[in-house]
Amino acid sequence: MNGDRTGSGSAPWRRLLALIGGMALVASACGGSASPSVAAPTASAAPSASELAASPSPSAAGYTGPEATISYSIWGDPAEIKNQQAVVDAFHQVIPKITVKVTVSDWDTYWDKLQTGIAGGDAPDVFAMDGPLFPDYQSRDVLLDLKPFIDREGYDLTQLADQAVKDFTTTGGQFGLPRDLNVIALFYNKAMFDKAGVPYPDDTWDWAKLTEVAHKLTLKNAAGKVTQWGFYTETSDMENYWSSLVWQNGGDILAPDGKTTALASDQAVGGIQVLQDLIYKEKVMPEPPLFAETGDAFELGKAAMAANGSWLVPTFEAAKLNFGIAPLPKGPAGQATSINPTGAVVYAGTKSPDAAWEFVKYLASPAAQTKLMELKASLPANKAVLSGPYSTSFDGAKVLADAIAYAHIKPSFKGYDNFATTLQTELDANVFDARNETVRQAIDKVLPKLNQILAGQ
């Protein structure tokens, strides 16, 4: 599911494009306890969407608990409301004994309401959790450990994307199941490429090729004003592009032990410097303030290429763009992109833990994942759906699915929100929105504070 992430920066925040602020939708839903286990598809016969939607999922016979009404809270947009209702309606058809009341809010409202609910001991039974923010919530003992349920049933976690499962795993247990995930790719405007007679991007592209083509596709009028930018990305969150540049250059965000940041390395600094150079040296990308009010330059038809998240596929479709999707260009250390999962977690204070577990389990089942797939706003976490029907569900879907093989998980640790806000505030003010400092100068200035935050974990 798509979603905006405030404190972590702004890229993920753009995911929601939320037009609703606290819309609530109530739907009946149900789930059983038979483990939704599906064998991974073989190369010769991947299951179809209809086959997966009809594959075994929780059954009424498997749920022996009492009748229960549970609440489920997520962030999302209007299209997601309709889809989520279909999911919980299908769940209810399996076990009418469990009713699920779904509340959908925009990103900011969602977290405000969740914090208030937790503080008052009245949080939703099941709620969506952003990967990077998970440790802050888990460390507060407000999430239910699902490992006893998993062990009791022999639930097969390997049917779900490995990186996504790991993001909600601690040494003490399993505190959520992944519901969906997102990666970063290169979107390109086919019409602009065709008009310029430039071949479309492919998996052979590197940084030099990106810069070369971006120059060809940056157009100016007679007065020297840029009318079409060669490249665009959002700079205010590491997820949209700059963390991928760090990894492509052989750097990292955190040291291996997670206790200090690795951003001071030449590789990390060099990766972020590439992005500043695209703006101020190569001048193929607009300065961020130019589109701060109007929105995404690629979506508006003002840029030929964009490095951005898979959550924007439906947004670009709605804008009637004729676009394609390619892997991010390689750096000196090879291919890399970011992967960020959304999980479904259970409130530790729920009065209906068995019913909540059934619903969380159902959300990861092929039946529910196939319905979520139809949004095109995220990648399924279920491997069978991901490698099967999702990969052929729209042009470019396979590029997104294949990116998981070389993806790095977006950092997730206690204090992430503070870390990301501190870092991004410095980069926005002095590296991206204005060229007041080099990346090296900015990182060196903020480094002690970042390490202090990490030391406090």
Side-chain angles (χ1 to χ4, degrees):
M1 172 165 87
N2 51 347
D4 274 341
R5 292 178 178 77
T6 42
S8 59
S10 66
W13 321 348
R14 311 285 197 264
R15 289 185 193 169
L16 286 190
L17 307 175
L19 304 175
I20 54 173
M23 276 180 89
L25 134 76
V26 177
S28 293
C30 148
S33 61
S35 176
S37 177
V38 175
T42 63
S44 59
S48 66
S50 59
E51 289 172 334
L52 284 169
S55 61
S57 57
S59 67
Y63 177 68
T64 59
E67 290 192 6
T69 296
I70 61 173
S71 53
Y72 174 43
S73 183
I74 62 173
W75 64 84
D77 61 18
E80 200 146 10
I81 293 175
K82 181 179 179 180
N83 191 274
Q84 289 292 336
Q85 182 170 14
V87 170
V88 296
D89 282 348
F91 183 44
H92 185 65
Q93 289 176 7
V94 181
I95 303 180
K97 289 177 70 177
I98 303 174
T99 298
V100 177
K101 295 183 177 181
V102 185
T103 301
V104 186
S105 305
D106 67 79
W107 174 263
D108 288 328
T109 303
Y110 174 80
W111 294 104
D112 288 344
K113 290 169 66 176
L114 182 60
Q115 292 276 26
T116 300
I118 290 173
D122 189 31
D125 296 287
V126 178
F127 53 94
M129 178 52 60
D130 182 39
L133 299 181
F134 162 74
D136 279 307
Y137 282 83
Q138 191 278 325
S139 63
R140 291 158 58 187
D141 296 325
V142 298
L143 305 182
L144 184 68
D145 184 5
L146 302 181
K147 192 172 187 302
F149 300 91
I150 293 169
D151 292 344
R152 180 185 69 193
E153 299 181 14
Y155 180 81
D156 183 14
L157 287 171
T158 65
Q159 67 184 291
L160 307 177
D162 299 332
Q163 302 103 313
V165 170
K166 185 178 179 181
D167 222 23
F168 301 99
T169 305
T170 71
T171 55
Q174 185 72 38
F175 291 87
L177 294 185
R179 192 198 57 193
D180 57 59
L181 42 91
N182 279 287
V183 296
I184 307 300
L186 183 68
F187 295 84
Y188 57 93
N189 187 307
K190 291 183 177 181
M192 293 179 181
F193 273 76
D194 292 343
K195 186 175 182 179
V198 176
Y200 298 152
D202 58 30
D203 61 5
T204 67
W205 273 37
D206 57 15
W207 290 353
K209 186 67 174 179
L210 173 67
T211 304
E212 172 195 331
V213 174
H215 274 290
K216 292 180 180 178
L217 295 174
T218 298
L219 307 180
K220 299 180 179 179
N221 60 20
K225 181 180 179 180
V226 174
T227 57
Q228 174 183 297
W229 295 95
F231 180 76
Y232 174 78
T233 190
E234 294 181 51
T235 56
S236 53
D237 188 320
M238 70 173 75
E239 182 176 4
N240 290 75
Y241 193 33
W242 71 250
S243 63
S244 295
L245 291 170
V246 168
W247 293 317
Q248 290 166 8
N249 205 37
D252 212 337
I253 312 300
L254 299 181
D257 62 5
K259 296 180 179 179
T260 58
T261 180
L263 286 171
S265 72
D266 290 341
Q267 292 86 352
V269 168
I272 304 173
Q273 188 64 53
V274 168
L275 185 51
Q276 188 190 51
D277 288 348
L278 288 172
I279 303 170
Y280 295 102
K281 179 181 177 182
E282 304 297 340
K283 299 185 184 300
V284 296
M285 174 179 162
E287 297 177 22
L290 288 177
F291 287 90
E293 299 299 326
T294 57
D296 188 307
F298 185 82
E299 179 188 350
L300 295 171
K302 299 294 185 180
M305 295 180 284
N308 224 321
S310 50
W311 59 84
L312 287 171
V313 169
T315 299
F316 295 155
E317 287 185 343
K320 307 299 182 183
L321 295 177
N322 180 15
F323 67 94
I325 306 173
L328 289 179
K330 302 172 185 175
Q335 277 187 319
T337 188
S338 175
I339 184 173
N340 188 14
T342 294
V345 299
V346 178
Y347 177 47
T350 179
K351 294 180 174 61
S352 304
D354 288 300
W357 160 245
E358 293 300 335
F359 184 62
V360 167
K361 187 171 57 175
Y362 181 79
L363 289 173
S365 73
Q369 293 277 294
T370 301
K371 289 184 180 295
L372 288 171
M373 177 190 81
E374 296 168 2
L375 279 173
K376 300 183 184 179
S378 56
L379 283 67
N382 187 287
K383 292 177 181 177
V385 180
L386 181 65
S387 62
Y390 175 80
S391 292
T392 57
S393 61
F394 61 89
D395 185 27
K398 190 174 188 303
V399 172
L400 300 176
D402 289 347
I404 294 175
Y406 53 85
H408 294 243
I409 196 78
K410 185 176 182 180
S412 175
F413 52 87
K414 185 179 178 182
Y416 174 85
D417 192 48
N418 190 12
F419 177 96
T421 300
T422 300
L423 171 60
Q424 200 62 55
T425 298
E426 173 64 25
L427 293 179
D428 287 344
N430 296 309
V431 172
F432 298 136
D433 290 359
R435 187 171 56 171
N436 298 324
E437 300 169 345
T438 64
V439 176
R440 167 58 67 190
Q441 290 170 329
I443 292 297
D444 285 350
K445 184 167 70 174
V446 79
L447 191 66
K449 178 61 175 176
L450 298 181
N451 283 330
Q452 181 182 0
I453 294 169
L454 291 171
Q457 292 187 73

